Amino acid sequence: MTEQPNLTGLVMEDGSAVPLSSNSYQKSFLKWAGGKFKVLPRIFSALPAGQRLIEPFAGSAVGSLNAPFALAIASDSNRDLINLYQSVAAAPRKFIEEASALFAPKY
């Protein structure tokens, strides 16, 4: 297998970098039927070398979040799901603030 580009971090909207551990995968904030998290090593080892991953059935988008490529494109036929991802990508802190209101504080 040829070596693929290594994703070393995510860049947030404010330009700050969030490093990713090379020994672990990031879980998605969504639970999704048919999730691929447990089989990511097997999926990634079977992919050819390249510069981008196109994930046609994104679901929780765990493949795109952890892709060992310079670019990952997530797609899904569920328009609401794609709108959610676009909203989170555009304003992650706003999403976190609004979603946190849905959870009871710890006591």
Side-chain angles (χ1 to χ4, degrees), residues 1-100:
M1 181 170 140
T2 14
E3 189 169 310
Q4 298 173 342
N6 184 21
L7 181 64
T8 57
L10 300 175
V11 178
M12 301 302 286
E13 126 187 336
D14 66 357
S16 62
V18 178
L20 300 178
S21 167
S22 61
N23 296 327
S24 65
Y25 292 116
Q26 301 297 311
K27 287 191 174 186
S28 175
F29 68 97
L30 292 177
K31 293 281 187 186
W32 204 261
K36 304 171 201 85
F37 185 80
K38 291 181 180 178
V39 294
L40 284 177
R42 187 170 181 190
I43 291 171
F44 291 154
S45 69
L47 294 175
Q51 295 298 310
R52 69 177 170 216
L53 170 73
I54 300 173
E55 188 175 13
F57 309 107
S60 71
V62 74
S64 296
L65 287 171
N66 293 287
F69 296 93
L71 176 66
I73 300 170
S75 180
D76 202 285
S77 63
N78 184 332
R79 191 73 215 149
D80 292 329
L81 180 65
I82 297 303
N83 287 339
L84 171 65
Y85 289 138
Q86 289 172 337
S87 296
V88 171
R93 285 182 174 74
K94 180 180 178 191
F95 173 78
I96 291 168
E97 288 170 10
E98 290 180 6
S100 66

